[in-house]
Structure formats: structure tokens, C-alpha cells
Amino acid sequence: MSAMQSFSASSWLDHGWAGHAKALLTISLCLCTGLMQGQSSAAVDEARIIAADSDPGSWLTHARTYGEERYSPLAEIDTDNVSQLGLAWYFDTNTIRGLEASPLLIDGVIYTTAAWSHVYALDARTGSLIWHFDPQVPKAWGAKACCDVVNRGVAAWGERLFIGTIDGRLIALDRDSGVVIWEKLTIDPERPYTITGAPRVIKGKVMIGNGGAEYGVRGYLSAYAVEDGALLWRFFTVPGDPSKPFESEAMQMAAVTWHGGRWWEVGGGGTVWDSMAYDPDLDLLYFGVGNGSPWNRTIRSPGGGDNLFLSSIVAVRPDTGEYVWHYQTTPGDSWDFTATQHIILVDLQIDGRKRKVLLQAPKNGFFYVIDRSSGELLSAEKYTRVNWASHVDLKSGRPVETEQADHSQTSRMTQPMQIGGHNWQPMAFSKDTGLVYIPSMENTGNFSTALNFEYLPGHWNTGQASGDAESTATLSPALLAALEKTLMLGRLIAWHPVEQREVWRVEHSGMWNGGVLTTAGNLVFQGTGDGRLVAYRADSGEMLWESATGTGVIAPPISYQVDGDQYIAVMAGWGGALPLVLNQTSSIRGRNGRLLVYKLGARKQLPESAPPFALPIAPERRGTPESIALGGALYGLHCARCHGIGAVSGGILSDLRYMQPQTRELFNEIVVGGLLNDKGMIGFADVLSETDATAIQDYLSDLSLALVEYESSPGWWRAMQAWFYEQAALVASLFL
Ligand code: CA
């Protein structure tokens, strides 16, 4: 640490530029030497981030560059020697919640984040802890997080780091010590906002959005000054209360695309919860906008309309937040088809012309190539199974919806489902192969419309009538496992963005897998839900190496170089949106999340994993068929999104089939009374009565008994049941 602290770039920045040319030259030399040795801590600024390719050993911003390619120019690890890759060190984060962070590597130090917005600074050679910052998020706030209390990383600027916390704060930390410099609340704490995304810093402004559209919020992106956290501008993505003045011309433009309803009460949605990219030449900041609150336009804007800027990519001026252009991937979105997925900026030869393009594979199943200077759609093709639209009309830039898209009157089996053809897990673009590597999914979901929708402030407000967790809660875990195995497919695909076609694919055992890294060694790295980190040839998809990670991986790997050694680093921690809700087929549950770091020739071993779950302690049989059914419906509505459909937990939160006898006795005090509020299990007194809670416990006891019975039955019987359900699911899939 002393070596790192001995050189502070802020001291020379404070002295100014004029008249200090000689000092500047000396310091520049120090900087270069320091960087090569990976010892000195130097300021991160725009010039340094833009020159990322001349400093390939570092990872200074979320996806390494402002263009967010997730391509490492390092080539020490290549197709010939990747088989010798081994674990160099690991760091325990002491959490079983999801890990989604993309670490930064600055001057020999890794900065990463874990669940509950914790931040860690670690020696990149050894993994020894330099400092740890816990923002002390109240655990009850976790109930406002749709998709686990995850965090996708910090941003760096000057001598500071910036973290967005799950309870909506933006905090500036001193990079060397982890000490708080300033802290700003970026949200209305009366609303269920959360921050999971990594900030980006552009021209001395920290850009941060938020999430919460499933519960009911109004989305926006904000810019704060790095120096003191002053709010510089805010871009709202959906119009507010029409009785109040517009905040901007963009809102005036958006307002005419909303008709009827009272969307502003629920919030309208449009949260900016993940993707951003920046083009310094065009001086444009791009960000992706999420789904509506509620999901269904029929409820949100019954008179129809595109509902700008839901499910859009928006380009603004980073200095002012001034609107420049937008492209809406899913006009009038009714399917949770967010356009918050990873955005990549590259230059491609298209029809003999070099075009500055923006690439995105949003949830809706189409891969978009957009001219990023104008917003003009150049091409869009399906990268997975899609049945809600036949194609995207290039003239109008609009999807051509099929009959399957309309669930305003009847429920529909729609592809992709709510989780999307591609979720937040970042893709990667290789400058060498010209291919985009997408952690892609194929799936089918049931959409419907709650005709008597009632807004429950602070709760789940998606506007779905059935087909959501509510109606699937009473299906048997064996049937759900079969559906998951046959209808929810995960794969890594290599996509040619110019020819708009798949070049190769790798099928995974489950749908929910990790983000992607590609390197100049002709390699693609991806972690998997079944607990492996895998390296493939970037040009052919041939698997070259794999290593057990001890838990499912969802985060994207990064690569860095220190003392001449190339490393691959990945946060391994199972969680996020899908495993909270649906995890029937996963064998990896409740394992400690870690940062895993690999290099050539290393041989460190991970400790033994925790043993699998034992059988639950069978409760006494209780409840009537009616109360069990009522409990199932209420469980589906209020509990399943955290504790899992059919009470099969992903190991992230408690599996309620395994409830201890003393918990059973306190059940109503916990569920209604809020006894475990401080631990994150909030009370539901505003929506559940004592009778409701009793019915939920009847349902859970019934599931515990069913599990004990199932696990005690002969193996051949369980295998036959699974086979039967899988065949039924396969037959059902033919009709989708
Ligand atoms: Ca959503």
C-alpha cells in the first residue's frame, strides 16, 4: 500500500497545468514507469480511458472501453496454451447472493463489488484484501429488488471510485483507502427504487440510473459531478403526471405517445438499470431503457401509443442530458422486453461503407445494428426463437407483430418470455473475428392481462393475470423441472453482425449463464450456470479448457496483466433474476460466492463445496385442499419471486420446504408481523391477513410432505416420472 500511496496524481492536478510543463513531463514519465510496474496509483481520466488499447493490462471502465466491446487485447493466453490455465487465487465474498460485478483493474489493484453493494479492493497478484467498504444497506430494502441484491461494479475517475447502492445512493470513495468522500441519495425513498448497475464516468460526470419497474417507479438517468456529487442533469424516460409541466422537450415528445390510464401513479417504468456506452468523437452517451410499469400497455396506456421511451435506446449529450435521438426496439411494450441489454459501439463495413454502429441484442429476440450518429436502423434479425413479431420492417424501423403478441383479451404463450432472449449478462465483440458472442436464451412464457388490475404500492405491479408465478405455484416441482429442461434453453452464440447470422453455438445445460469476454488470443471465456468457467476458440467455438467454479457463474470475466502475467478474473456467485424464481434443475445451491483469478501454470484448488440439502423435517399434515390452493395462489403472488416457484429455492433465499419447527411456530409473526424485517424478510401486513398467512403455511407444509414422499420413493419411480414429464413437455413444445 505504501508504494501506492506514495504517488498521488491529485497533488499535481491541483497545481494546474500552466507553468508546470517540466513537472508535468517528469510526472508523465513516473506515470509510465509506474504503470509498467503496476505499482503507482494514477488518476483515471478521459484520456486514459480513451487510450485503453495502449494500456491493455488495465481494465479502467465497466467493459474496459467506452465502446464496451469486452475485448481484451492481451494475447499471452491463447488457443495453444489455454489448457495450462489454472487458479492463481480466490477471494471469498461471504455471500450466497448473486455476484454480477465486472471488476476494474487499475495500477495493480482489483476493485470489485458483491451483494448488498459491498466494495472490495484487492491486490491483483495475490488477492490479499487492501480495503473493504460496506454501505450498510438496510436488509429490508432487499425486498424492493426484483432480481436479487446484486451489483455490477464500480466506476473510477481521478483518485475516486463510485458505487451505486441497492438502496439508491451514489457514493464516492477514495480509491486508496475506501473512505467515503461524498454520498448522494439519487431516488425518492418512498418509492421502490434500487440500483444494481455500474456507474460510468464521462467528462467528469458520474452517470447512474436505477431499477424498480416491476414494482412501479418512473425511470431516469442522472449525472452527478465527480467533485462534490452535485446533480448536474436528469433525463426522465417516461412522462410524469400530465397536470404538471414537462421537465424537458423530450418529455413533451414522449407525452403524445401515452393515451389514457393513470400510468404516473404506478410510475410508468422505463428504468435505466444497466447499459450505457459513450462515443467521444460524436460526444454521445447511449443508454438502454427498460419495460413499463405495469408491463401491460392495456393497463398503462389503454388508448395505445408507443409509450416513449420504454424499451428504447436513447442518445444524449453527456454535458447536458439533451436528447439527440432514440430508437425504440419494442413500441408500446407489453412483455417486459427491456432494451437495457448490453450496448456495444464498433465501426463495421456495411454495403461497402464504414459505418459507426451500435449493437444490441435486447430481450425481445432481435439483434439490432443501428447507425449511432443518427439512430437509423440498419438491420435487425432474430438471434433466438421469436413468435411475437414476424420481422422488423426496415423502412419504418418497427417490429411487425403477430397474433401471438396480443394478450390483452386472452393469455398467450410468447417467445421469448419475460426473462428475454438475452438478459443483462454482457456479450462481447472480437476485433479479430468480427463476431459478437451472445449469452443467449430460448424460452416461452405465458403473458396475460389483469382486467381488474389493482395497484399495490411497493409490491409486484406487472399487471399480469395468470401465467405468472401465481398460477405456476401449484405445479409439481418435477413437472416444473421438466418444463425448465425442455423449454428453457441456454447457449453461447457467435453472431455475425454484418451478415446478421449465427456462425457457431454452444448449448448449455441450463438457461441462465454468465456474461462473456473475448481476447486477442482467439479466445472466448464464459462462466456457466452449472458451475464452470470455459474457454472456447473465438473463431470456431471449439471448447479448449474448463474449470469448476464451485457455484454457478453469471458475471462476465475480465482480463488484466500485472508483472507481465495475463490473468482471467470472474466473480462466481449464483443468483440474479431467474434463480430466485425458477431453479428446479440446478444442482448448485447456496454456495459461497468468490472472485476467481486464473493464470497460466497456476494450480490452486478451491475448497470442498457445501454438502447438498438433506431432507426436510416433515411437518404435520395441515390445512384443507381449499386453504392449500389459496395459499398456493397467494404464495405465487407475493413469495415466489424470491423463494422460488413451487417453493423450490435457488439457494439464494430460504427454501421454505425446509423450514425449521421453530420458524413454523413463528410463521405468521414473520410473514404478517415483520419479525425478520431487519434480516430482509419484510412483513406483508399491507397485503396479507393472518388467514392468508395460515393458508400459505398450509401450502408450504403440503410441499414439504410431498418432497419427503418424493425423495423417499424408489429411484426408478422418480426417473420414470421425470421421463414422463419431459416427454409431455417436449410434445407441448411442438405446439408453441
Ligand atoms: Ca423488467
Side-chain angles (χ1 to χ4, degrees):
M1 265 309 282
S2 59
M4 277 175 228
Q5 281 170 333
S6 66
F7 180 83
S8 165
S10 63
S11 57
W12 64 266
L13 278 175
D14 291 342
H15 291 130
W17 294 78
H20 289 78
K22 193 179 165 193
L24 196 62
L25 184 66
T26 317
I27 287 160
S28 303
L29 289 171
C30 294
L31 246 172
C32 295
T33 322
L35 286 178
M36 278 190 290
Q37 293 172 345
Q39 284 173 347
S40 298
S41 167
V44 174
D45 60 13
E46 181 163 333
R48 198 172 164 198
I49 295 175
I50 291 172
D53 283 354
S54 61
D55 178 17
S58 298
W59 196 284
L60 302 174
T61 184
H62 187 60
R64 198 183 75 84
T65 60
Y66 276 139
E68 305 250 332
E69 299 98 321
R70 292 195 173 273
Y71 167 87
S72 169
L74 298 174
E76 184 202 350
I77 302 168
D78 61 21
T79 53
D80 290 334
N81 62 23
V82 69
S83 60
Q84 293 153 39
L85 202 58
L87 191 65
W89 56 264
Y90 65 88
F91 178 80
D92 279 325
T93 60
N94 297 312
T95 179
I96 56 168
R97 306 297 295 261
L99 298 180
E100 297 189 351
S102 187
L104 300 186
L105 187 291
I106 309 169
D107 307 334
V109 180
I110 286 190
Y111 303 97
T112 194
T113 66
W116 297 107
S117 328
H118 283 230
V119 188
Y120 296 91
L122 304 160
D123 185 310
R125 301 167 193 80
T126 63
S128 66
L129 181 67
I130 299 169
W131 55 258
H132 166 220
F133 171 68
D134 174 2
Q136 304 284 340
V137 173
K139 294 289 182 283
W141 204 278
K144 302 178 208 289
C146 70
C147 308
D148 206 352
V149 290
V150 292
N151 185 278
R152 293 187 208 90
V154 290
W157 193 265
E159 296 290 329
R160 294 174 183 183
L161 294 179
F162 303 91
I163 169 91
T165 66
I166 197 85
D167 57 348
R169 290 171 287 156
L170 180 67
I171 302 175
L173 301 172
D174 178 81
R175 212 171 77 205
D176 285 339
S177 65
V179 168
V180 174
I181 298 170
W182 54 254
E183 177 176 319
K184 294 285 164 179
L185 184 63
T186 71
I187 56 154
D188 171 0
E190 300 302 314
R191 284 282 190 167
Y193 284 104
T194 48
I195 299 179
T196 56
R200 313 295 199 277
V201 187
I202 296 160
K203 303 167 94 176
K205 297 168 183 68
V206 194
M207 311 293 174
I208 191 74
N210 47 55
E214 270 61 53
Y215 297 79
V217 295
R218 183 186 183 196
Y220 54 87
L221 178 71
S222 311
Y224 291 86
V226 289
E227 299 84 16
D228 56 5
L231 177 63
L232 301 172
W233 55 258
R234 178 162 287 175
F235 186 100
F236 285 99
T237 56
V238 296
D241 184 341
S243 69
K244 295 179 179 162
F246 297 116
E247 288 91 350
S248 63
E249 280 178 31
M251 281 303 93
Q252 194 165 357
M253 179 170 98
V256 298
T257 66
W258 295 67
H259 302 289
R262 299 178 69 79
W263 72 82
W264 60 94
E265 288 177 355
V266 186
T271 49
V272 184
W273 56 263
D274 194 51
S275 62
M276 285 182 248
Y278 173 58
D279 183 327
D281 294 332
L282 296 170
D283 192 31
L284 288 176
L285 161 66
Y286 309 93
F287 59 88
V289 183
N291 57 275
S293 293
W295 286 353
N296 307 42
R297 186 180 61 178
T298 319
I299 303 168
R300 198 176 61 226
S301 174
D306 288 351
N307 291 186
L308 290 174
F309 293 98
L310 296 181
S311 305
S312 299
I313 297 159
V314 181
V316 299
R317 294 286 169 213
D319 285 327
T320 57
E322 180 199 350
Y323 166 90
V324 178
W325 62 255
H326 79 276
Y327 175 78
Q328 190 173 35
T329 59
T330 311
D333 175 38
S334 280
W335 308 271
D336 188 19
F337 283 165
T338 65
T340 48
Q341 279 55 52
H342 182 191
I343 289 170
I344 293 179
L345 310 180
V346 288
D347 295 349
L348 297 177
Q349 281 286 336
I350 297 175
D351 296 332
R353 255 179 84 189
K354 191 175 184 185
R355 305 289 296 249
K356 286 173 174 288
V357 302
L358 177 155
L359 309 175
Q360 195 192 46
K363 274 189 185 178
N364 75 10
F366 288 94
F367 187 92
Y368 293 87
V369 181
I370 294 166
D371 182 317
R372 71 173 178 271
S373 38
S374 64
E376 179 199 351
L377 176 67
L378 300 179
S379 64
E381 292 294 337
K382 295 171 181 176
Y383 64 87
T384 186
R385 264 176 91 171
V386 174
N387 76 356
W388 71 278
S390 60
H391 64 286
V392 177
D393 176 53
L394 291 185
K395 269 212 176 73
S396 64
R398 299 175 70 89
V400 179
E401 289 181 20
T402 64
E403 191 188 41
Q404 211 60 28
D406 181 7
H407 57 259
S408 60
Q409 306 299 322
T410 177
S411 71
R412 300 282 190 186
M413 296 301 279
T414 305
Q415 295 164 329
M417 68 187 284
Q418 296 83 333
I419 203 89
H422 170 219
N423 207 285
W424 69 272
Q425 287 91 331
M427 28 188 220
F429 174 83
S430 167
K431 289 176 181 160
D432 309 315
T433 64
L435 301 175
V436 183
Y437 304 96
I438 314 170
S440 158
M441 299 183 282
E442 183 179 309
N443 47 47
T444 308
N446 190 308
F447 286 93
S448 58
T449 299
L451 298 173
N452 48 359
F453 171 75
E454 190 191 340
Y455 171 49
L456 299 173
H459 289 275
W460 204 244
N461 285 297
T462 59
Q464 295 285 295
S466 60
D468 211 339
E470 191 181 351
S471 65
T472 36
T474 46
L475 298 180
S476 90
L479 173 59
L480 283 164
L483 292 172
E484 195 180 332
K485 201 168 163 187
T486 48
L487 302 180
M488 300 187 178
L489 310 174
R491 57 179 70 112
L492 173 64
I493 62 175
W495 189 262
H496 199 300
V498 178
E499 297 171 12
Q500 284 278 23
R501 64 177 177 90
E502 187 179 301
V503 176
W504 56 256
R505 72 162 66 176
V506 173
E507 300 284 355
H508 291 316
S509 67
M511 187 165 80
W512 197 241
N513 298 288
V516 182
L517 164 75
T518 183
T519 72
N522 189 23
L523 294 171
V524 171
F525 290 90
Q526 186 192 24
T528 62
D530 57 17
R532 296 170 298 138
L533 181 65
V534 191
Y536 306 93
R537 275 186 76 103
D539 52 7
S540 69
E542 182 193 348
M543 191 179 96
L544 298 174
W545 171 85
E546 66 176 336
S547 180
T549 50
T551 184
V553 180
I554 51 177
I558 69 155
S559 188
Y560 64 87
Q561 187 178 43
V562 179
D563 297 340
D565 291 326
Q566 184 185 354
Y567 294 81
I568 305 290
V570 69
M571 300 297 293
W574 187 234
L578 188 77
L580 273 179
V581 183
L582 191 63
N583 214 20
Q584 266 67 13
T585 58
S586 172
S587 57
I588 299 180
R589 297 179 194 191
R591 307 284 170 80
N592 193 4
R594 301 182 173 111
L595 171 60
L596 305 177
V597 178
Y598 303 81
K599 72 172 182 174
L600 293 177
R603 291 174 189 282
K604 201 167 182 75
Q605 296 288 319
L606 283 176
E608 285 289 308
S609 294
F613 286 5
L615 271 180
I617 303 163
E620 281 177 29
R621 194 165 290 283
R622 51 177 285 165
T624 61
E626 292 74 27
S627 71
I628 291 168
L630 171 69
L634 291 169
Y635 175 90
L637 194 61
H638 299 294
C639 320
R641 66 173 187 270
C642 289
H643 291 281
I645 292 175
V648 180
S649 154
I652 299 149
L653 292 171
S654 302
D655 191 311
L656 300 176
R657 299 170 304 167
Y658 292 79
M659 222 185 309
Q660 296 297 312
Q662 58 270 41
T663 314
R664 288 186 181 127
E665 274 172 35
L666 295 169
F667 191 78
N668 283 23
E669 283 176 60
I670 296 167
V671 173
V672 183
L675 189 67
L676 299 181
N677 205 60
D678 292 347
K679 295 197 158 50
M681 170 59 204
I682 58 163
F684 284 74
D686 53 341
V687 284
L688 293 175
S689 67
E690 293 277 338
T691 316
D692 292 340
T694 302
I696 292 173
Q697 197 179 1
D698 291 346
Y699 163 73
L700 292 171
S701 295
D702 193 54
L703 288 180
S704 285
L705 289 166
L707 178 64
V708 173
E709 194 183 328
Y710 178 78
E711 292 291 342
S712 318
S713 64
W716 63 266
W717 169 245
R718 278 176 281 160
M720 205 175 80
Q721 229 181 324
W723 181 86
F724 173 78
Y725 280 135
E726 274 170 39
Q727 302 315 303
L730 281 171
V731 170
S733 71
L734 297 177
F735 295 93
L736 293 172

